[in-house]
Amino acid sequence: MSVQIKKNRRFIAWVCILGVIFLLSPLSTHSGEYHNPKQNTFLKTTETLACSQCHTMHGSQGGQSMIYGGAATVYPYLLRAATIVQLCRTCHENNSLSMSNPTPPDIWNNTLGYTPSGGDFANRGYENEQNRHSVGQTNVTPPGSNPTITITYFSCINCHDQHGNTNYRNLKKRPGNASSDITVSYTLDGAGTCSVGTTPCDINDVTTTGQGTTTNLYKYNRGNVTFSKAASNSNGIAPWCGGCHTKWHGAGGTTDVGGAVNGDTGSSPWVRHPVRDVNIDQGNSDLHADRSNWASLSSTVRTRAVDPDNLAPTSSVADEQPFCLSCHYAHGGGNPNYTSDSTLDHSNLVFIDGSGNINIDSAYTASTGRIRNLCEQCHNQ
Ligand code: HEC
Ligand code: HEC
Ligand code: HEC
Ligand code: HEC
Ligand code: HEC
Ligand code: HEC
């Protein structure tokens, strides 16, 4: 064997060993970086959340408790709070650690001056279990799960990956019954579309003027988020919710949702509201949806819909498709009636008032608010 071949073999062996080391190193798993492996960050700065902001090795530093709130104890998984929900709320409610740049988005009862994309868990300070995902509860079952799921402790990490991933909002790739990865992406208005797999789906390099140039909170503002159409119908937000609410999501023509692939076409009625495949154009030709009315609404009032072309609808073209977040908030809904008639506040629903405000906004007027105002944007019955 020539010296040259031996050298080449040794070289290849080294490349293989280095490759294995690289694959096993933390660099390639990205765990713990600001919940996710960001490349494009707010003002292109580094936003790395340290392990020690959530974990403590011994519960004590400098003789002081490392537990948030100061308790002299330690908790499972070396966490700095008694429960996962409490840990997440330490930053994501009232910004109790006074962080800035980036500021943690408030998901409990947001008073940071923007409308939170996911809604509130305790809108108006009210924890209404009928009107929110009941985080912190034990032994809960998602309606429509098939096979039936029982979640022994329902928390933020049933839906979000605490160590980050490349999905929109670090959404878990396999929620509930999902047996393969579900990717979710979005378009951040003024900043561009983020493609899952290459850059983290959490692009934050805002280039427009306005809120985005001064704060990371721009990307959590409901009005700045548009849901793109996934290349395949097994990806995107509606199939993602379907990971737990299995029967609520499906292709047109299946037993669970009824209809047909291309809309009801006048002869195949839906048995559950369609949440994919079918757009307003189709509904318009089937005489079930009112495209002109939908197109006439101002973009600030129009409810969310998956938007394949990212273009505003016109009276002749409207490819928007209704999906779960056209009618629901992901976290919890508005509680405008909680003191008088709380039975109206249920199922995380989006209600719209006579001026077009949604029920999580402080400007919402309960006396003119109706869910009918939402349905009629598309149906105008
Ligand atoms: C935002 C908070 C947060 C940060 C930051 C964080 N973790 Fe965690 N980690 C958690 C939570 C919550 C759990 C508990 C998961 C469970 O109950 O299953 C956990 C679990 C773990 C576990 C055990 C189970 C597993 O998922 O492997 C390890 C190991 C771990 N973390 C290591 C780290 C390291 C190392 C870092 C820093 C690179 C880090 N964590 C950063 C919140 C965090
Ligand atoms: C990890 C599983 C899981 C995922 C994913 C999930 N849910 Fe749920 N959902 C539940 C559970 C459990 C309940 C029942 C307990 C409760 O009310 O929170 C529930 C209840 C609901 C309710 C009824 C609320 C109430 O208080 O009665 C609505 C509406 C809802 N989910 C919508 C959604 C939407 C929309 C999505 C996607 C953005 C989604 N869910 C994703 C687990 C899940
Ligand atoms: C049932 C699934 C589910 C649960 C449980 C859940 N989230 Fe979310 N979360 C989502 C989805 C889906 C979005 C994206 C919603 C959107 O943009 O409309 C989101 C968005 C967010 C955001 C971005 C801010 C915003 O207003 O959209 C943060 C931060 C967040 N979640 C934190 C949490 C924390 C902390 C908990 C636990 C207290 C939690 N989530 C529980 C599904 C969930
Ligand atoms: C030490 C403070 C801290 C803790 C604890 C913490 N977070 Fe966060 N989180 C932040 C900050 C700050 C941001 C904003 C990052 C940004 O804007 O880029 C954030 C952002 C997020 C986002 C949005 C990510 C995106 O795609 O923009 C989610 C989802 C989230 N956190 C979930 C959680 C969950 C779930 C927990 C509990 C396991 C948790 N956080 C605990 C500080 C924290
Ligand atoms: C973002 C637009 C949008 C919103 C909002 C919306 N829908 Fe629909 N809806 C559609 C489309 C599109 C179809 C499919 C029509 C078709 O197949 O031709 C549909 C189908 C239906 C059908 C079934 C018709 C059939 O063919 O069997 C009913 C009933 C319905 N919607 C009621 C409602 C109600 C009630 C609300 C409010 C809670 C609502 N919709 C909100 C767009 C919407
Ligand atoms: C057109 C509006 C609309 C769309 C789209 C829609 N929902 Fe609903 N959802 C409602 C309304 C209204 C209710 C109240 C109960 C009812 O009418 O069935 C509800 C109730 C629910 C409930 C509570 C059921 C219970 O037993 O308490 C869950 C869970 C839910 N929806 C999840 C979803 C998921 C997941 C999607 C997407 C796959 C979705 N919804 C799409 C309007 C909608």
Side-chain angles (χ1 to χ4, degrees):
M1 203 184 283
S2 80
V3 174
Q4 190 54 45
I5 290 173
K6 271 191 190 160
K7 271 190 182 157
N8 283 349
R9 285 205 178 150
R10 214 176 297 152
F11 177 70
I12 290 165
W14 269 111
V15 167
C16 293
I17 290 165
L18 287 174
V20 169
I21 291 172
F22 178 73
L23 284 174
L24 292 175
S25 78
L27 278 176
S28 62
T29 61
H30 304 291
S31 73
E33 281 179 274
Y34 228 112
H35 297 306
N36 75 352
K38 287 186 182 195
Q39 281 125 30
N40 298 323
T41 59
F42 173 57
L43 298 180
K44 311 253 199 250
T45 54
T46 308
E47 294 175 10
T48 302
L49 194 55
C51 315
S52 60
Q53 283 177 283
C54 293
H55 296 284
T56 168
M57 301 308 109
H58 310 292
S60 163
Q61 181 183 292
Q64 302 294 309
S65 168
M66 284 278 285
I67 303 303
Y68 290 127
T73 184
V74 283
Y75 294 116
Y77 295 105
L78 284 57
L79 293 179
R80 297 180 64 175
T83 64
I84 290 163
V85 172
Q86 232 172 294
L87 173 72
C88 308
R89 283 175 66 182
T90 304
C91 292
H92 289 287
E93 178 188 6
N94 277 333
N95 191 9
S96 59
L97 301 183
S98 304
M99 295 173 79
S100 60
N101 192 17
T103 306
D106 194 324
I107 47 100
W108 211 250
N109 180 21
N110 190 307
T111 52
L112 291 171
Y114 67 94
T115 306
S117 191
D120 289 319
F121 280 105
N123 183 260
R124 291 162 172 81
Y126 181 52
E127 295 176 23
N128 179 356
E129 302 303 342
Q130 306 308 312
N131 201 26
R132 67 171 193 161
H133 271 116
S134 299
V135 288
Q137 293 211 343
T138 50
N139 300 319
V140 288
T141 294
S145 56
N146 183 26
T148 303
I149 302 172
T150 304
I151 300 177
T152 47
Y153 169 67
F154 192 23
S155 84
C156 319
I157 68 170
N158 288 108
C159 294
H160 298 282
D161 203 335
Q162 73 272 12
H163 295 145
N165 64 32
T166 52
N167 249 353
Y168 174 60
R169 305 299 190 230
N170 300 335
L171 290 176
K172 275 187 107 75
K173 296 214 167 153
R174 297 189 182 190
N177 286 324
S179 55
S180 50
D181 286 358
I182 300 175
T183 55
V184 184
S185 28
Y186 79 126
T187 300
L188 182 61
D189 297 351
T193 305
C194 126
S195 43
V196 176
T198 48
T199 50
C201 201
D202 161 353
I203 43 164
N204 205 354
D205 52 339
V206 176
T207 52
T208 49
T209 52
Q211 196 183 8
T213 56
T214 52
T215 157
N216 66 302
L217 297 174
Y218 180 89
K219 69 174 169 172
Y220 302 112
N221 190 329
R222 189 176 168 89
N224 300 335
V225 171
T226 307
F227 290 93
S228 345
K229 173 78 180 159
S232 115
N233 272 321
S234 48
N235 290 321
I237 238 328
W240 186 85
C241 302
C244 286
H245 302 291
T246 328
K247 295 185 189 167
W248 277 215
H249 170 265
T254 51
T255 326
D256 288 336
V257 293
V261 177
N262 294 319
D264 106 323
T265 61
S267 54
S268 313
W270 298 95
V271 295
R272 284 202 173 88
H273 200 279
V275 288
R276 75 180 220 195
D277 306 332
V278 180
N279 63 26
I280 312 254
D281 282 339
Q282 182 65 41
N284 194 66
S285 53
D286 294 341
L287 307 180
H288 292 309
D290 184 339
R291 183 169 56 203
S292 311
N293 187 66
W294 173 252
S296 72
L297 301 164
S298 96
S299 61
T300 51
V301 168
R302 207 182 291 125
T303 197
R304 300 172 134 182
V306 167
D307 189 357
D309 65 3
N310 280 324
L311 294 173
T314 66
S315 54
S316 49
V317 182
D319 67 349
E320 292 76 23
Q321 307 180 349
F323 72 136
C324 316
L325 300 183
S326 301
C327 304
H328 295 288
Y329 301 99
H331 286 160
N335 290 314
N337 296 98
Y338 75 100
T339 47
S340 50
D341 185 2
S342 63
T343 59
L344 292 171
D345 301 327
H346 68 89
S347 312
N348 315 359
L349 288 170
V350 178
F351 278 50
I352 299 178
D353 75 8
S355 316
N357 300 306
I358 53 173
N359 52 344
I360 53 169
D361 284 337
S362 52
Y364 179 80
T365 309
S367 60
T368 62
R370 309 258 186 286
I371 189 157
R372 189 205 298 157
N373 296 341
L374 174 95
C375 313
E376 287 187 338
Q377 290 198 344
C378 299
H379 294 292
N380 204 15
Q381 302 294 15

